[in-house]
Amino acid sequence: MSDDHTHVQEFFGARAADWDSRFPDDGPAYASAVADLGLREGDRVLDAGCGTGRALTPLRAAVGATGVVVGIDLTPAMLQAAVRAGRDRDGRLLLADVAALPLRSRSLDAVFAAGLIAHLPRPADDLRELARVVRPGGVLALFHPIGRAALAARQGRRITPDDLRAEPNLRPLLAVSGWRMTSYVDEDARFLALAVRER
C-alpha cells in the first residue's frame, strides 16, 4: 500500500466514528447533487469514495429498486460507519481503491464522488479509471457540500492557483481523462462539476 493510501486511511479512519455528527446538515446538499445527475429508474451508479455513505440513500431513491448502487471506499472504518448507519441497505459496500476498481468496463451509468478529487494521488489516472467503468454518455458528478472558498476558510487555508477543483484546472484534467465537463458550480453552499463520459 502506498504512503498516499496510508495517509488517507489514517486521516479518515480517525474521523469515521463522528464524521456524520460533524456535518449533520449536509443531507439536502447531497440529495440536490444526486438529483442533478439525472439518474433514471434502473440505472447503475457508483459512489466513489463513499465514506459513511451519505449519498447512498438519495442514489437508491433515484435508481429505484431495479437499479444498482455500489459504494466504494479505501477506509474500512468509514464503511463500518456506513453499516452502523444502516446505509448498506441502500447499496453494496466494497473496500476498494478508485485506482483499481473491481468493476467491469462500461458497466455503470454514472459516478458520484463527494470530496474525492482532493485525495487522489494520481488524479488523471484515477479519473481515467472512473471513466473506464462508465458507459459512453454516462455522467460523473464531482461534489462537495460547500464551495472551495468556504472549505478553505473552514480549514484555515487559502485557495491556491494549482487547486485541482478550479475550473481552469479541472476542465482539462477531465478532458485528458475521458470526460467532458458540462457544468461547473462553485458557490459557498456547494461545489458541483458535472461531466459526460466521452467515447
Side-chain angles (χ1 to χ4, degrees), residues 146-155 157 159 163 186-188:
I146 61 174
R148 293 185 312 126
L151 181 62
R154 177 192 284 175
Q155 296 172 340
R157 61 177 179 80
I159 296 176
D163 183 346
D186 183 15
E187 303 166 341
D188 281 350

Side-chain angles (χ1 to χ4, degrees), residues 95-180:
L95 181 65
D97 182 356
V98 297
L101 294 168
L103 300 168
R104 290 189 329 270
S105 296
R106 301 183 174 205
S107 61
L108 302 174
D109 298 293
V111 174
F112 184 86
L116 178 70
I117 193 164
H119 300 287
L120 297 178
R122 292 169 300 281
D125 291 341
D126 297 336
L127 288 167
R128 196 171 291 118
E129 175 66 356
L130 292 177
R132 179 188 67 78
V133 300
V134 174
R135 64 170 174 77
V139 183
L140 169 69
L142 299 175
F143 167 72
H144 200 282
I146 61 174
R148 293 185 312 126
L151 181 62
R154 177 192 284 175
Q155 296 172 340
R157 61 177 179 80
R158 291 180 172 214
I159 296 176
T160 59
D162 63 344
D163 183 346
L164 288 180
R165 293 161 294 187
E167 185 174 9
N169 300 331
L170 186 58
R171 187 179 294 276
L173 174 62
L174 287 166
V176 301
S177 305
W179 300 97
R180 177 176 50 82

Side-chain angles (χ1 to χ4, degrees), residues 1-7 9 97 121-122:
M1 184 175 296
S2 74
D3 290 340
D4 293 318
H5 290 160
T6 302
H7 171 73
Q9 287 180 319
D97 182 356
R122 292 169 300 281

Side-chain angles (χ1 to χ4, degrees), residues 8-77:
V8 168
Q9 287 180 319
E10 288 173 354
F11 179 88
F12 286 105
R15 293 161 175 80
D18 68 343
W19 188 261
D20 287 350
S21 63
R22 291 175 64 198
F23 309 105
D25 302 323
D26 286 350
Y30 274 78
S32 175
V34 167
D36 286 341
L37 264 176
L39 295 169
R40 294 174 300 208
E41 183 90 16
D43 275 354
R44 298 154 307 190
V45 60
L46 170 67
D47 184 0
C50 66
T52 62
R54 290 182 291 172
L56 296 178
T57 300
L59 288 170
R60 170 57 63 198
V63 303
T66 61
V68 173
V69 178
V70 177
I72 65 135
D73 203 273
L74 192 61
T75 306

